[in-house]
Amino acid sequence: TTLHANDTATAITRLNEMGIPPYLVGSSVVGVMAQRLIRRVCPKCSSTRVVDPEKDKLACNHNISTLKQANSIDLANNNTDNLCPICNGTGYKGRLGLYEVMKVNDNIRELIMKSSTADVIRESASENGVKSLLDYGLDLVKQGLTTIEEVERVCLLDD
């Protein structure tokens, strides 16, 4: 089924908010997947830049040294002479999926039965190797497939 939730852990707690008792959730859910679409940077007109430690703290914290940069053109001045033939000056062409998949194991099931918060479930899932949407997005940034700005736009970041 489909739920409106920010990640896999909040999908579990969302079921509780909808009035489903924890024992039913724990006994029937075997896995949860969260997904988001993110724009793919244009392969023709994008550029690469070095990470600025002051400006790109997220990239620095995840050991990313270079970033792709989308070259979008402001069409307000009606100058369409130098538009990229691939992306039409948007800087992006196509989409990529970000995925977070959490298997409901015995540990997660126990947390569900205790009506634990999404933060507690998320931490336990992370300890069991679940890659978050943010981590998946940062892997795509490292591969040069999208921009750090796209990941920051799509993923909910802690302040």
Side-chain angles (χ1 to χ4, degrees), residues 37-107:
L37 284 177
I38 194 165
R39 295 181 296 176
R40 179 189 293 258
V41 73
C42 179
K44 179 163 176 57
C45 70
S46 65
S47 58
T48 303
R49 68 176 175 85
V50 176
V51 169
D52 178 1
E54 295 295 317
K55 180 182 166 192
D56 305 309
K57 293 185 186 202
L58 181 62
C60 286
N61 291 343
H62 289 83
N63 300 320
I64 299 173
S65 57
T66 60
L67 296 172
K68 281 288 193 174
Q69 188 168 322
N71 293 325
S72 59
I73 296 174
D74 183 14
L75 296 176
N77 60 9
N78 294 325
N79 185 6
T80 59
D81 297 339
N82 296 324
L83 287 182
C84 172
I86 304 293
C87 69
N88 289 325
T90 64
Y92 296 95
K93 181 66 176 176
R95 303 269 178 171
L96 297 164
L98 297 184
Y99 304 99
E100 178 180 329
V101 180
M102 179 179 70
K103 181 180 178 184
V104 178
N105 58 21
D106 291 337
N107 189 28

Side-chain angles (χ1 to χ4, degrees), residues 8 31-34 99-104 125 129-133:
T8 56
V32 182
M33 183 178 84
Y99 304 99
E100 178 180 329
V101 180
M102 179 179 70
K103 181 180 178 184
V104 178
V130 173
K131 185 184 277 193
S132 70
L133 291 169

